[in-house]
Amino acid sequence: MTRPSTSTLSLARRCPPSLQTGLEDSIPTFYETTMKGGHNTNNPELVHFLTDNALDSVHWLESLGVEFQDEIGSTTGSLGQRSHYPATPSGNTYIRSFQEFIDNNGDSILLLNNMQAKELILDDDGAVVGVKALYADEDEVTVNCGAVVIATGGFGGNVEYRQKVNTGVWKEVVLDDSIGFTNIKPCAQGEGMVLAENAGAEFICLSDIQLHPCGTPGTGLMEDIRTSGRNAGTNAAEYALA
């Protein structure tokens, strides 16, 4: 039996697909289009994990208080309509929901602000068991834990590094500072990746950098362009680093 993917299950939970958009979708279709989008060079195991668990991530976010619109859409680059959007505008919906969840669970979650992670702590077997950080650029702080998740973002703002690893699909394009990046933040320097690399982590797929077709040329700013992704340009110089 074909299992529904994110769009079908989500819509079935809110309203029948036939009453909204008449979409037909399935996890196998989601998988196949994702592989196609990556020119079938993707890691099938990782793509299966993504497509098999996409809806669960929506449910998890809802359990933390995030509310989604009933309607779904197609984000830039998508080959199908299965994208969920928060009920209130902008990505800060997630941050507000997470902050409220943390505030309501202060007995089990410790939030440390103004910390700069400086080093991952390894045990004798090479496993990561904590982080050394710097508070307010002055005080040294050590956090001991069972696992560390690095969620520091990418390296779009690191022009030198992105040109260094650009040996994949866009290797003929010079990714210098004439090409903006979509998060607009110069702090996207890949520092979290440096922490991981210093701890012995192995990176994959860095060479295949994504160039976003809907960023404003030169700046990468996304707010200036509202599109479903179907009218993307063909000139690499018009793209922005995602």
Side-chain angles (χ1 to χ4, degrees), residues 49-85:
F49 188 88
L50 166 70
T51 56
D52 291 354
N53 295 283
L55 179 63
D56 289 339
S57 69
V58 174
H59 293 330
W60 176 72
L61 288 168
E62 289 177 324
S63 74
L64 298 181
V66 178
E67 296 182 2
F68 291 94
Q69 300 177 21
D70 287 334
E71 298 80 9
I72 62 171
S74 177
T75 57
T76 303
S78 173
L79 297 179
Q81 288 186 279
R82 59 175 67 90
S83 302
H84 297 262
Y85 302 96

Side-chain angles (χ1 to χ4, degrees), residues 162-163 165-176 179 207-209 211 235-237:
R162 73 195 196 193
Q163 292 190 92
V165 300
N166 183 33
T167 59
V169 293
W170 292 105
K171 62 183 178 182
E172 303 301 327
V173 179
V174 178
L175 302 182
D176 57 19
I179 298 180
S207 61
D208 292 323
I209 295 175
L211 296 186
N235 186 345

Side-chain angles (χ1 to χ4, degrees), residues 71-123:
E71 298 80 9
I72 62 171
S74 177
T75 57
T76 303
S78 173
L79 297 179
Q81 288 186 279
R82 59 175 67 90
S83 302
H84 297 262
Y85 302 96
T88 55
S90 302
N92 58 34
T93 293
Y94 304 105
I95 301 302
R96 293 196 304 270
S97 300
F98 297 160
Q99 183 64 61
E100 183 177 355
F101 183 85
I102 292 172
D103 292 341
N104 294 335
N105 293 272
D107 56 337
S108 58
I109 299 176
L110 175 63
L111 180 63
L112 303 177
N113 292 315
N114 301 317
M115 295 284 179
Q116 181 183 13
K118 303 294 290 186
E119 181 184 351
L120 298 179
I121 303 172
L122 307 179
D123 64 12

